[in-house]
Amino acid sequence: MKKIIVLFLSIYAQFAFAQNSEMSLVFIGDVMQHMPQIDAAYDSSSKTYNYDSCFVYVKPILQNADVAIANLEITLAGKPYSGYPQFSAPDALARGLKNAGINYLVTANNHSCDRGKSGIIRTIKVLDSLGIEHTGTFVDSLEREKKNVLLIEKNGIRVAIINYTYGTNGIPIPKPTVVNIIEKEKITNDVTKAKALRPDKIILVVHWGNEYERVPNAFQKDIAKFCFEQGADIVIGSHPHVLQQFEYTQRIDTLDDMKVKENIVVYSLGNYVSNQRDRYKDGGAMVKIVLQKNLLGQTKIKEQGYFLTWVNKAFVNGKNQYYILPASQFENTVGKLDATALEKLKLFTEDSRSLFKEHNKSFTEYKFDFVKNEWRLE
């Protein structure tokens, strides 16, 4: 009888997942604006800025996702605009992100305080005015209490997103504004509050690690492990400006009746767009995670993979332009890129795939099928 019951439950669970709902999430790395990028976005005839062309090649991927979320590693502090070391980009960048399909942003990073209190507040106001939901920085502690856990619901699936940074480049966080800093006690409290909202998955987006290092350091590994122990399901990292490994694992959750729990850690998504042109720094990846919920209310990770992206800096109509390219669609084509750009793109993909082959765990690449005109997970 016991075997019959177990068999029945197994068959029913399979049926339940066949009658499922799904949510697709795409996570995007560092969105940066150095002065050459700001100059490239300027239209001297209209005296306005526009970023739509920057995202034109990745827009189909972004708009096909239920949730697309990026790390906004600049402030929208108004004029004078500036690049490194204290960033302030035109508001048009946020409009360009939204037009491309990026509908959520995290704002806690080492450049959050680049323009002080007014920069933090104005960035928040601009995003609010555009209807872009966000978390990570707040005008005061009351707003943090209300908005720290960004709850997103699509297709009957709920995810909670919380965002932290390791620091703010030594710039004190101006009161009363708040920037979420990585602190274990804070993470524990925040995850507990997130659990009370009964999400299907809890996702922490963290700004951490050593710049330009292609493997995670001990701090990253310790924090990821700690986040999972507190009840987080997915940890997404940024800051190193180069790619680091992605891992899907399963573990026994001692806090939840010894159930098998799925975890994903993305140590670094690299640069999504910047003016950094050196090897390893001129690209990144978009990570896609598909969640599936069955009739029993159980939510699992159906698939996980990545799109390699590379930034092409091209001279067009008398000035430089920046285009984020899905690498798989451009690396084997003729005539779309000049010889120098194609060589750099191929070097980036070779480096990235070599790194991931050595270090990734159960994470593979989405590649474009030109015959079927669709992306497929390898």
Side-chain angles (χ1 to χ4, degrees):
M1 177 63 74
K2 184 177 180 181
K3 289 183 178 180
I4 294 174
I5 293 173
V6 170
L7 179 62
F8 172 78
L9 291 175
S10 175
I11 294 172
Y12 184 73
Q14 292 178 30
F15 169 78
F17 269 114
Q19 310 297 314
N20 60 66
S21 57
E22 294 184 0
M23 173 195 281
S24 60
L25 303 102
V26 172
F27 296 93
I28 297 148
D30 302 330
V31 175
M32 308 191 73
Q33 285 295 289
H34 297 93
M35 277 310 300
Q37 294 169 267
I38 295 174
D39 293 339
Y42 185 67
D43 183 341
S44 57
S45 60
S46 64
K47 297 185 175 5
T48 60
Y49 292 86
N50 189 292
Y51 287 88
D52 288 345
S53 62
C54 179
F55 304 101
V56 66
Y57 296 107
V58 290
K59 186 175 180 178
I61 298 172
L62 299 172
Q63 294 197 331
N64 192 47
D66 294 311
V67 175
I69 184 165
N71 171 46
L72 187 68
E73 196 162 356
I74 49 89
T75 68
L76 302 170
K79 296 181 178 179
Y81 302 131
S82 59
Y84 183 83
Q86 293 182 306
F87 293 95
S88 180
D91 300 351
L93 174 62
R95 286 194 292 272
L97 292 168
K98 183 176 182 180
N99 291 343
I102 297 172
N103 39 21
Y104 300 90
L105 292 169
V106 292
T107 55
N109 55 69
N110 57 309
H111 290 287
S112 298
C113 296
D114 279 3
R115 288 293 188 89
K117 179 170 67 174
S118 62
I120 294 171
I121 293 173
R122 191 178 186 281
T123 300
I124 291 169
K125 287 184 175 179
V126 170
L127 298 182
D128 287 344
S129 71
L130 293 171
I132 300 174
E133 294 190 63
H134 54 90
T135 188
T137 60
F138 311 92
V139 297
D140 55 32
S141 58
L142 291 177
E143 185 183 64
R144 183 188 188 275
E145 186 67 24
K146 295 177 183 177
K147 297 184 178 181
N148 183 44
V149 179
L150 176 57
L151 193 65
I152 302 172
E153 183 168 359
K154 302 282 184 179
N155 307 327
I157 299 175
R158 291 155 59 94
V159 297
I161 295 178
I162 314 171
N163 174 218
Y164 306 92
T165 178
Y166 73 92
T168 55
N169 288 344
I171 302 173
I173 301 169
K175 294 182 179 180
T177 61
V178 178
V179 178
N180 275 352
I181 301 297
I182 299 171
E183 297 171 354
K184 287 186 175 181
E185 183 178 357
K186 185 179 294 182
I187 291 171
T188 299
N189 292 337
D190 290 346
V191 171
T192 298
K193 290 180 180 178
K195 288 178 180 177
L197 300 174
R198 302 185 66 80
D200 295 290
K201 297 291 180 184
I202 297 175
I203 303 170
L204 305 189
V205 183
V206 290
H207 207 69
W208 60 2
N210 296 332
E211 289 186 315
Y212 316 125
E213 290 190 4
R214 302 177 70 219
V215 292
N217 61 24
F219 176 76
Q220 288 169 275
K221 292 181 178 180
D222 175 66
I223 290 298
K225 181 175 181 289
F226 180 81
C227 291
F228 294 144
E229 289 171 347
Q230 305 316 300
D233 300 285
I234 298 169
V235 176
I236 305 291
S238 61
H239 176 63
H241 302 301
V242 295
L243 289 170
Q244 294 179 349
Q245 67 218 47
F246 310 153
E247 299 176 358
Y248 167 90
T249 56
Q250 294 182 344
R251 65 181 178 85
I252 301 297
D253 190 349
T254 57
L255 297 178
D256 191 10
D257 297 328
M258 303 297 287
K259 292 179 181 177
V260 176
K261 188 162 186 178
E262 301 174 296
N263 287 140
I264 284 177
V265 56
V266 170
Y267 281 107
S268 176
L269 288 165
N271 281 332
Y272 194 54
V273 62
S274 78
N275 189 51
Q276 294 185 327
R277 306 306 302 158
D278 295 336
R279 185 177 182 180
Y280 310 124
K281 306 174 190 176
D282 52 354
M286 298 184 293
V287 161
K288 181 179 178 180
I289 299 171
V290 179
L291 303 179
Q292 185 183 78
K293 188 173 186 177
N294 68 14
L295 294 177
L296 303 176
Q298 301 165 330
T299 302
K300 69 177 183 179
I301 296 170
K302 179 185 177 183
E303 66 181 52
Q304 65 281 342
Y306 61 88
F307 305 83
L308 289 176
T309 59
W310 183 76
V311 179
N312 184 29
K313 183 179 180 180
F315 195 73
V316 180
N317 297 328
K319 66 176 183 176
N320 286 318
Q321 295 290 345
Y322 295 79
Y323 304 96
I324 306 168
L325 306 182
S328 175
Q329 283 183 303
F330 284 82
E331 62 183 329
N332 296 314
T333 58
V334 178
K336 288 189 176 183
L337 297 174
D338 63 49
T340 301
L342 185 58
E343 182 180 358
K344 290 182 177 180
L345 168 58
K346 287 186 174 182
L347 178 61
F348 170 75
T349 58
E350 290 168 4
D351 286 338
S352 302
R353 288 168 185 153
S354 176
L355 175 77
F356 290 159
K357 183 178 180 180
E358 181 178 359
H359 295 290
N360 274 14
K361 295 180 181 178
S362 301
F363 245 100
T364 51
E365 184 178 357
Y366 288 96
K367 290 190 176 180
F368 193 73
D369 186 329
F370 286 93
V371 176
K372 295 184 177 180
N373 195 37
E374 65 183 18
W375 290 95
R376 57 182 175 81
L377 189 61
E378 292 224 317

